[in-house]
Amino acid sequence: LFAFGEHLLYRIPLIRSVYGSVRDLINLFSRDQKDALHQTVAFTAGGMRLIGFVTRSDLSELPEEIAGSDNIAVYLPMSYMIGGYLVMVPRSDVTPIDMSVEEALRFILTAGIADARGMPNK
């Protein structure tokens, strides 16, 4: 029944795009797909320190204009929202941080109100 309903959703052009994107994002953060977010990293952009997740280390199948010579794909989730940015950054500009994906997501999605353990910031 679910598969039939999903099949119907995929037949509607605009709904297909939105539903597919939301479904992929939910699958990205599900426990079964935890390997999709390879590593928690930080990098500096415009004087800001950003926390993100490496989603791909090999961009060789993308056009050179996007992939660059030694870039990696980093996903930057937004606080309190379903969404974020995918940026291609030079591998040398990224610093791995000692924070699990779950801890970093909790910190980012609560806009820093909760610490990495989920406790309210005092």
Side-chain angles (χ1 to χ4, degrees), residues 88-118:
M88 283 20 135
V89 297
R91 189 180 307 271
S92 60
D93 289 355
V94 171
T95 305
I97 58 176
D98 186 23
M99 195 176 211
S100 72
V101 169
E102 184 178 78
E103 290 170 335
L105 271 174
R106 185 176 299 121
F107 183 74
I108 294 166
L109 295 178
T110 63
I113 292 172
D115 66 15
R117 298 178 313 272

Side-chain angles (χ1 to χ4, degrees), residues 37-92:
L37 300 176
H38 299 131
Q39 185 176 37
T40 305
V41 296
F43 67 96
T44 302
M48 297 180 292
R49 198 78 174 140
L50 304 169
I51 299 174
F53 306 101
V54 176
T55 58
R56 290 185 93 167
S57 295
D58 180 13
L59 304 176
S60 60
E61 77 282 355
L62 295 176
E64 181 64 27
E65 298 83 12
I66 296 172
S69 60
D70 192 31
N71 285 352
I72 58 174
V74 177
Y75 178 69
L76 305 170
M78 294 188 293
S79 302
Y80 293 115
M81 298 179 77
I82 296 177
Y85 299 97
L86 178 66
V87 295
M88 283 20 135
V89 297
R91 189 180 307 271
S92 60

